Structure formats: C-alpha cells, structure tokens
Amino acid sequence: MSEFGVIGGVCTAHAPQLWTLPDSEDPEVVGRVQALLGGVGEKLRAMKPDICVIIANDHANQFLLHCTASFTIHMGKTASGAFAGRDYSYQVAGDASLALIRHAQRNGFDPGFTSNAKLDYAFGIPMDFTGMGGVPVVPVFVNAYVPPQPSMERCFAFGRALGDGIKALGLRAVVV
C-alpha cells in the first residue's frame, strides 16, 4: 500500500434511465449494468483509496449563465443532491480538495471552486452503482454544456494535473 496517486478508476454512463426505469428501458440490461458496476466498485474499494475523485458534468444546473468555469472542484464538507425521488449525500475530502485547487493553480489551471453546489445524477448514479459512497469524495464538475467548453486536450491536461497533485499529497485515489 505504499503506492500514491491514482490507483484505479472506472468510466461509466450516468443515464437517468438507470434510476427512473421508464417502460422503454429493459430492466435486465439495467440490472446487468448495476451488477457490473457493483463488481467494479468492490474492486475499487478493495484498493483502500483515501479519496474518490468523481468527475462529471452538471447538465447546466449549477453554473449556467452566472458563472461557468471549465473545471470546478467542490471543497465543502458534504456534497449532496436529489433526483428521481432519491436523495444522496457524500462526505467531501475538503482538505484534499483545497490542496488540489492550490496545486492546479500552481500548475497552469485556475479551477472554479464551490462549497454548496448540488450534485446531479451524473454524480449520484455512478456513486450509487459503484457503492463508492463510503470513501471521502472530491467532486469535479467539467463544463460540457456552455460554450466555450474545454478541449479534450485541456481535459487531459487537467486530469494529469489532478493526478500529479494527488501523488504530491501522498494520497491514494480512485477516479469515477
């Protein structure tokens, strides 16, 4: 367990149908997705990460028109939201979030930061299906809706900066 930095991760869908199960959705397919992500979540938790960095977009719910940063890091004590009759809340790794913001600033990024933004289903569904809710989180919002969105190259560079910051902090992280 001496390895620091990003030690594992998963990239997954966050389709609202996974929670709402409309008649058009095949419950067997949703069940398979949930079982698969549950298994991935078990493997991620078995790595014993210090933090879970969850990266998603906010569907223009939080930042539309009044302030839209390319990347925004949540640094409050908790991050919560509600969707489709479900309420969810996660402990935020606040000290790690603040340290990652400072690391990003020293390395060519000026991410927005928040202590009260609500998490939508883009965060809630992956956290629910993977079962990662017991690990302190660092929620990262990426602007995917309001032009100008960050380029793929800029997203990659920001991810690299986060990974470098996690390693420099001596933390073990998984990314969802």
Side-chain angles (χ1 to χ4, degrees):
M1 269 201 358
S2 62
E3 183 181 335
F4 296 117
V6 175
I7 57 172
V10 63
C11 181
T12 184
H14 62 261
Q17 299 89 327
L18 294 171
W19 271 352
T20 61
L21 292 174
D23 291 339
S24 59
E25 203 63 43
D26 183 344
E28 288 183 29
V29 170
V30 173
R32 286 196 313 266
V33 169
Q34 189 165 21
L36 176 68
L37 287 175
V40 169
E42 286 177 26
K43 291 176 183 173
L44 294 176
R45 289 188 308 277
M47 294 176 178
K48 302 201 181 311
D50 300 311
I51 61 173
C52 173
V53 177
I54 175 129
I55 302 171
N57 58 309
D58 110 294
H59 294 102
N61 292 324
Q62 295 297 309
F63 307 113
L64 181 64
L65 302 181
H66 60 278
C67 183
T68 307
S70 293
F71 310 101
T72 302
I73 298 175
H74 198 298
M75 59 180 229
K77 292 184 181 206
T78 60
S80 60
F83 181 79
R86 296 170 187 250
D87 294 319
Y88 39 93
S89 184
Y90 310 105
Q91 177 190 351
V92 173
D95 291 342
S97 293
L98 180 57
L100 288 171
I101 291 165
R102 289 180 171 150
H103 179 85
Q105 290 172 334
R106 289 190 304 270
N107 289 278
F109 289 92
D110 292 303
F113 51 90
T114 180
S115 62
N116 63 0
K118 296 296 181 192
L119 304 182
D120 76 359
Y121 62 87
F123 292 88
I125 288 174
M127 292 295 287
D128 178 40
F129 277 44
T130 59
M132 292 301 299
V135 178
V137 298
V138 175
V140 178
F141 297 87
V142 177
N143 171 28
Y145 281 89
V146 181
Q149 299 95 333
S151 68
M152 293 305 291
E153 293 83 5
R154 193 70 174 154
C155 290
F156 181 84
F158 185 71
R160 179 168 277 167
L162 284 177
D164 291 346
I166 291 163
K167 190 171 188 175
L169 291 170
L171 294 172
R172 296 167 45 82
V174 295
V175 177
V176 175

